[in-house]
Amino acid sequence: MGFGQHQSFYFRPSWINKGLTHVNQNSRFFYEKNHFEVLGLGKNMAKSLRHWLIATNVIEEQKGKQTVHAFTDFGNVVFRYDRHLQHGLTLGMLHYNLVTNKDIATTWYWFFNEYRESVFDRERLTRSLEKWVEVNGLKSVSENTLKRDIDCLLNMYSLKDYKQLTPEDVISCPLENLEMVSKSVNNYYTKSFADVEEIRDILFMSLLIYSEKHGQTEFAVEELAEAPELWGKVFNLSRSAIVEYVTQMTEDYPLRFIRTNKLDTVLLTKEVSSISALEERYKQYSKEVSSYA
């Protein structure tokens, strides 16, 4: 389990590009003594950047005589097609990779996959995380570490009132654009469904990743709505929203929707890798942009 590795910083808009660019040039970059100066960041921010690159699965550590960092397949695609995070699809996949990474980003996994409340404040959220950590036998995690995780998570995802913020806080995390957590009156927060133009692409790619990870190609709608790492949990979608999206997606994606009196089921009808499907979608984006140029 991984807690508190972000050094209290969420990743900034330019960080993914910076990290990928330097790792592409030097697989030992983050072990160079002056790497944080080259990045233009403080030492703790540089540690945070390395954490987010790994937690979102754009790079991985490879151990040998010397530990190096290398692009994952996903990181390769992001670096080639959207290193500046211009597409909602990229944000959606960064989010999906992060919140299904239980070992490295445990609090993020818990919040999106285990925590069932849709309205909460920081104190309630922290108490719930503390209880979950205790129940799961992780008593060595300090209360302050869990509080820092909750603060970082909410700052990372929640839409902000920029009139009330300091210059440092005005710099938002790109995942804020998914609009999945909003702050309401009396310092309460609300989970919201991911509402971006590319949501259908995001749902399809995430289903492919889940299928590759778990060897599953058939899904009950109830499973899509309630199981960890699937649509209802990860993207805050209701069962009715899932049914609506699946109905739309059967026209353009290799999905089949079987409706019966007892069980509604979604089938992946074509074997396709998540990486090849992702790359093909970025190529299509490029064609669409060129057609308008």
Side-chain angles (χ1 to χ4, degrees):
M1 300 294 181
F3 298 92
Q5 298 176 28
H6 46 76
Q7 311 295 317
S8 298
F9 299 105
Y10 51 80
F11 68 88
R12 272 48 172 176
S14 64
W15 280 19
I16 298 295
N17 176 47
K18 280 186 177 182
L20 288 177
T21 297
H22 287 293
V23 168
N24 184 56
Q25 296 169 349
N26 178 5
S27 64
R28 292 275 301 167
F29 173 74
F30 280 101
Y31 298 102
E32 301 290 346
K33 289 184 178 180
N34 68 336
H35 74 276
F36 61 94
E37 295 175 343
V38 175
L39 287 166
L41 301 174
K43 288 184 178 180
N44 286 340
M45 275 191 167
K47 289 180 182 179
S48 178
L49 168 55
R50 182 176 65 177
H51 164 71
W52 292 122
L53 291 171
I54 295 171
T56 57
N57 193 41
V58 293
I59 69 169
E60 61 185 359
E61 284 190 346
Q62 296 180 347
K63 297 186 181 296
K65 291 183 178 180
Q66 286 188 317
T67 300
V68 299
H69 292 109
F71 287 3
T72 62
D73 290 340
F74 172 64
N76 261 313
V77 174
V78 171
F79 185 68
R80 289 177 62 191
Y81 295 100
D82 192 27
R83 68 184 75 171
H84 297 289
L85 313 186
Q86 299 298 305
H87 292 297
L89 174 57
T90 312
L91 300 180
M93 300 320 297
L94 290 171
H95 163 75
Y96 184 79
N97 289 335
L98 174 63
V99 305
T100 58
N101 197 337
K102 189 176 183 179
D103 291 337
I104 294 178
T106 308
T107 296
W108 278 252
Y109 174 89
W110 166 81
F111 177 73
F112 283 98
N113 294 278
E114 302 283 350
Y115 186 62
R116 302 186 68 86
E117 300 297 324
S118 59
V119 179
F120 48 87
D121 59 17
R122 286 178 189 259
E123 183 178 353
R124 180 183 299 179
L125 195 60
T126 303
R127 287 201 307 268
S128 296
L129 177 58
E130 290 171 352
K131 184 176 181 180
W132 182 82
V133 166
E134 182 178 352
V135 167
N136 284 274
L138 306 173
K139 296 181 181 179
S140 61
V141 184
S142 73
E143 181 180 339
N144 285 336
T145 296
L146 298 181
K147 285 181 178 179
R148 285 195 294 271
D149 270 10
I150 293 299
D151 286 344
C152 186
L153 186 153
L154 292 178
N155 289 334
M156 193 170 186
Y157 279 93
S158 60
L159 292 167
K160 301 172 182 62
D161 180 3
Y162 290 102
K163 294 180 181 179
Q164 305 296 323
L165 298 179
T166 65
E168 170 64 20
D169 291 331
V170 166
I171 303 174
S172 64
C173 176
L175 297 186
E176 180 182 316
N177 294 318
L178 295 173
E179 301 186 11
M180 297 184 65
V181 178
S182 57
K183 191 173 183 180
S184 56
V185 296
N186 298 323
N187 292 319
Y188 276 84
Y189 293 83
T190 305
K191 283 185 178 182
S192 307
F193 67 92
D195 186 18
V196 292
E197 183 179 349
E198 299 89 348
I199 185 61
R200 293 164 189 80
D201 286 338
I202 293 168
L203 294 177
F204 179 63
M205 302 304 168
S206 68
L207 198 63
L208 291 179
I209 294 173
Y210 187 95
S211 178
E212 292 167 350
K213 184 176 179 180
H214 299 282
Q216 184 175 343
T217 58
E218 182 175 332
F219 305 85
V221 168
E222 284 69 22
E223 185 179 14
L224 289 174
E226 297 294 337
E229 301 183 28
L230 287 172
W231 296 353
K233 295 293 188 181
V234 171
F235 299 108
N236 299 335
L237 293 178
S238 65
R239 186 188 190 282
S240 60
I242 289 171
V243 169
E244 182 178 351
Y245 280 129
V246 169
T247 302
Q248 297 169 0
M249 291 168 66
T250 54
E251 297 182 7
D252 301 311
Y253 302 84
L255 296 176
R256 184 182 177 193
F257 190 21
I258 303 172
R259 307 206 68 173
T260 65
N261 291 332
K262 294 184 178 180
L263 187 66
D264 294 340
T265 305
V266 178
L267 302 176
L268 282 167
T269 60
K270 182 180 179 181
E271 186 174 344
V272 56
S273 77
S274 59
I275 293 302
S276 62
L278 186 65
E279 188 167 17
E280 187 60 34
R281 196 66 191 97
Y282 281 121
K283 290 178 180 178
Q284 187 61 39
Y285 287 163
S286 298
K287 289 180 183 178
E288 292 170 1
V289 170
S290 298
S291 68
Y292 288 109

